[in-house]
Amino acid sequence: DSHTQYERVGADVTMKCGSMDWDAAVTWTANGTDIDESHLNGSYLILKNVDLSQSGQYSCYEGSSWHLKYQTYLRVGTPPKEPVLMCRSNNYPKGFYCSWHLPTPTYIPNTFNISVIHGTKDMVCEKDAIPKNRCHIRYLQLFSTVKYKVTLTVTNALGKNFTTLTFDEFAIVKPDPPESVVAKPVPNNPRRLEVSWQNPSSWPDPESFPLKFFLRYRPLILDQWQHVELSDGTSHTITDAYAGKEYIIQVAAKDNDIGTWSDWSVAVHATPWTEEPKHLTTEAQITETTSTSTSSFMAPPTTKICDKGAVVGSGAMAVCWTAGLVVAAYSVLFI
Amino acid sequence: MAAADSPSAALRRRDLCSRGIRLAGKMRADVVDLLDAYVEQQGLDASASVAAVEGVPLAAVERWDEQTGTQRLLENLAAYRAFRALLAQMLEEQQEQLGEADAGLGRALAALLLQVSAFAYHLEELLQLESRGIPGEEGDGPPPPPRLSLFEQKLRGLGVLRELAQWAVRSVRDLRQLAKPSPAPGAAPGLAESP
């Protein structure tokens, strides 16, 4: 006859071999392995100060016949500590959800029971299939000043515990972070980055319940963030980026009127537009260029024909000067 | 409702709604500030639960999303008219109890009363635009309630301000619903008659 037995960590456990007398000759096994006689008191098995590793199947056999007389599954665990409970509305005004967990494991099965009261009214929190430690409630009323009281009780074979949360409708509103954040350089603008994003898909009605946004950005090489708050729209152009530096950008959302800011969105990286560095040109290339172009051949101010990194060695200056002279000569020809 | 559907009426409605949203937003910010000052100066506990006070219009509503535009306007108007009377009463009580310390509170209450009156008027304009008759105000209303103790007055004041703060948020939401373009006549809520 087999059953399960739950015991606390550190407890002393005594197992009887079913209906066998104290002085009967028996053999105990733990998970199929014989247990040393030193743990026996007559036919009783004594386990002192049990720990988690002693969980398992314990069986008792009659001495000579090896008939199985008793079997139990020992599960060593702890009573539950006070659970951690959180409630949030990321889909206002539809409803809210509560989720919970235990701060430390009990190592044995637990059942959770949640009750939600609004004033004097009991509400049903429908458990989600996945994840298991979550339930959701639809708002029956909006704009109520009456607080909600949520009590979560956790019970297992060794004890129970509970926690309570009290809050009002507005306080728990926290949208999910904005989605699809994209940051792109702006052509011919070395200090700009164009950022766009979308409302979180869990927010049911952004037209009636608009969100406002908070953008933060910094170059990877610096620790300090720049912040911009935007009361509408789902895009923004950064105009003070450091040229050529890679940026990290994130966006957060909040209902325009109530609640708290979402977590930051997934970070995106972008580098502002930079001019392609021009390589050293040969005489032949310049001739070819000037014969086909109609405008005067003057290098634009940001273009360096002699890029600092492109030429190496002691002959560098001479090479640069030569190229510069050639350009100047042809410019004069075509004025 | 031909008048409501004309382009100029639609524009006017949208304009009134935007202004109303800004008014309600400012009103809410001021109520929240006033609530903090009120709690402190009246020596109340900010987390105290105040039972629903008689005569204070509750912002709480079921099936809010199913309301028609007209319902929204009428409920809002009734509420702000009630708040107008309640704030006037609070101001009167305040002046009776007054010490110097409360002068700022009195001024803030008076400013809020002005905003509430302005908002009520704004709602009347919106109702007129919908060719809706503006409901008359009920004369002097029911007989004044029995005189409350000082502490009861303070608690009721807390209830009034809290409920007004909720209404201010609700009004913003209501006006946003109203500002949405009207669907085809006879269809879902907006400013059409409810089915």
Side-chain angles (χ1 to χ4, degrees), chain A residues 106 187 195 220 280:
Chain A
T106 60
V195 189
L220 281 182
L280 279 174

Side-chain angles (χ1 to χ4, degrees), chain B residues 92-131:
Chain B
E92 210 180 283
E93 287 163 0
Q94 192 69 13
Q95 282 161 354
E96 282 174 13
Q97 304 157 19
L98 251 197
E100 274 305 309
D102 290 345
L105 196 60
R107 277 196 297 273
L109 269 173
L112 187 59
L113 177 54
L114 265 175
Q115 288 186 62
V116 165
S117 304
F119 194 69
Y121 180 72
H122 203 82
L123 292 166
E124 287 173 3
E125 277 191 274
L126 270 162
L127 268 167
Q128 261 180 342
L129 194 63
E130 305 316 315
S131 309

Side-chain angles (χ1 to χ4, degrees), chain A residues 238-267:
Chain A
I238 294 167
T239 55
D240 62 350
Y242 291 117
K245 301 298 177 209
E246 186 180 351
Y247 271 76
I248 179 170
I249 298 149
Q250 288 179 295
V251 193
K254 180 184 169 301
D255 176 87
N256 215 48
D257 306 299
I258 62 176
T260 59
W261 288 98
S262 72
D263 292 340
W264 291 106
S265 69
V266 165

Side-chain angles (χ1 to χ4, degrees), chain A residues 92-93 121 140-145 147 169-170 205 207-210 255-258, chain B residues 28 47 58-64 162-163 165-166 169-170 172-173 176-177 180-181:
Chain A
Y92 190 80
K121 200 171 174 177
L140 297 175
Q141 264 189 352
L142 288 180
F143 313 111
S144 173
T145 46
K147 289 189 193 277
E169 180 188 316
F170 292 172
D205 189 1
E207 208 186 314
S208 307
F209 294 83
D255 176 87
N256 215 48
D257 306 299
I258 62 176
Chain B
R28 190 212 175 184
S47 61
L58 294 180
V61 56
E62 295 189 7
R63 297 198 165 88
W64 173 85
R162 275 190 185 154
E163 214 55 52
Q166 297 294 102
V169 175
R170 176 175 162 182
V172 169
R173 312 293 197 189
R176 280 206 197 104
Q177 291 293 96
K180 279 179 172 170

Side-chain angles (χ1 to χ4, degrees), chain A residues 3-327:
Chain A
H3 71 310
T4 305
Q5 185 174 348
Y6 294 96
E7 301 288 345
R8 283 188 191 217
V9 169
D12 294 338
V13 180
T14 301
M15 288 188 198
K16 285 192 195 178
C17 187
S19 52
M20 299 287 281
D21 293 331
W22 177 83
D23 56 359
V26 298
T27 304
W28 281 92
T29 64
N31 295 326
T33 307
D34 286 10
I35 298 176
D36 189 73
E37 277 183 9
S38 59
H39 291 105
L40 299 183
N41 177 354
S43 65
Y44 297 175
L45 174 63
I46 314 288
L47 299 171
K48 285 195 176 293
N49 192 18
V50 291
D51 63 41
L52 294 170
S53 66
Q54 287 171 290
S55 295
Q57 189 172 71
Y58 289 79
S59 310
C60 177
Y61 299 92
E62 190 179 8
S64 45
S65 66
W66 274 93
H67 281 149
L68 177 65
K69 287 298 184 182
Y70 177 74
Q71 197 168 63
T72 186
Y73 201 93
L74 175 67
R75 299 199 61 172
V76 180
T78 59
K81 289 211 161 80
E82 186 180 330
V84 177
L85 175 65
M86 178 272 280
C87 296
R88 179 177 155 222
S89 174
N90 65 341
N91 62 344
Y92 190 80
K94 279 207 177 139
F96 65 92
Y97 73 87
C98 294
S99 73
W100 55 86
H101 66 273
L102 286 171
T104 53
T106 60
Y107 304 99
I108 60 176
N110 307 296
T111 41
F112 294 91
N113 208 298
I114 193 158
S115 83
V116 181
I117 302 174
H118 185 215
T120 53
K121 200 171 174 177
D122 269 312
M123 300 178 78
V124 175
C125 196
E126 294 185 29
K127 290 223 172 133
D128 292 349
I130 297 165
K132 279 191 311 174
N133 59 337
R134 194 152 136 159
C135 69
H136 62 271
I137 282 205
R138 280 188 340 111
Y139 279 125
L140 297 175
Q141 264 189 352
L142 288 180
F143 313 111
S144 173
T145 46
V146 175
K147 289 189 193 277
Y148 291 82
K149 184 170 163 183
V150 181
T151 303
L152 175 75
T153 308
V154 55
T155 310
N156 69 20
L158 300 175
K160 70 199 270 186
N161 214 322
F162 75 98
T163 188
T164 302
L165 261 187
T166 306
F167 53 83
D168 63 55
E169 180 188 316
F170 292 172
I172 60 165
V173 175
K174 177 180 170 179
D176 286 328
E179 294 173 6
S180 307
V181 183
V182 171
K184 290 193 292 209
V186 178
N188 301 305
N189 275 284
R191 301 202 65 192
R192 289 186 178 219
L193 285 168
E194 220 165 64
V195 189
S196 65
W197 58 89
Q198 284 174 9
N199 288 312
S201 49
S202 50
W203 195 252
D205 189 1
E207 208 186 314
S208 307
F209 294 83
L211 294 170
K212 59 182 178 186
F213 301 97
F214 213 74
L215 191 99
R216 71 176 185 180
Y217 59 96
R218 64 173 173 86
L220 281 182
I221 53 172
L222 293 179
D223 287 331
Q224 189 108 9
W225 292 96
Q226 298 280 92
H227 292 103
V228 182
E229 186 169 329
L230 303 151
S231 56
D232 56 22
T234 52
S235 63
H236 176 71
T237 303
I238 294 167
T239 55
D240 62 350
Y242 291 117
K245 301 298 177 209
E246 186 180 351
Y247 271 76
I248 179 170
I249 298 149
Q250 288 179 295
V251 193
K254 180 184 169 301
D255 176 87
N256 215 48
D257 306 299
I258 62 176
T260 59
W261 288 98
S262 72
D263 292 340
W264 291 106
S265 69
V266 165
V268 294
H269 292 240
T271 307
W273 174 91
T274 48
E275 175 106 24
E276 292 273 330
K278 288 244 165 74
H279 300 293
L280 279 174
T281 50
T282 62
E283 235 180 277
Q285 280 173 313
I286 289 171
T287 312
E288 200 184 319
T289 314
T290 53
S291 64
T292 53
S293 79
T294 51
S295 53
S296 66
F297 187 79
M298 282 296 287
T302 52
T303 305
K304 291 190 205 131
I305 290 176
C306 301
D307 197 88
K308 274 188 284 195
V311 291
V312 185
S314 55
M317 277 295 282
V319 174
C320 280
W321 266 113
T322 310
L325 276 172
V326 171
V327 170

Side-chain angles (χ1 to χ4, degrees), chain B residues 67-86:
Chain B
Q67 288 199 323
T68 64
T70 306
Q71 266 177 300
R72 294 179 196 281
L73 284 172
L74 288 172
E75 286 188 24
N76 271 268
L77 183 57
Y80 286 94
R81 280 176 171 173
F83 279 119
R84 196 167 55 195
L86 287 162

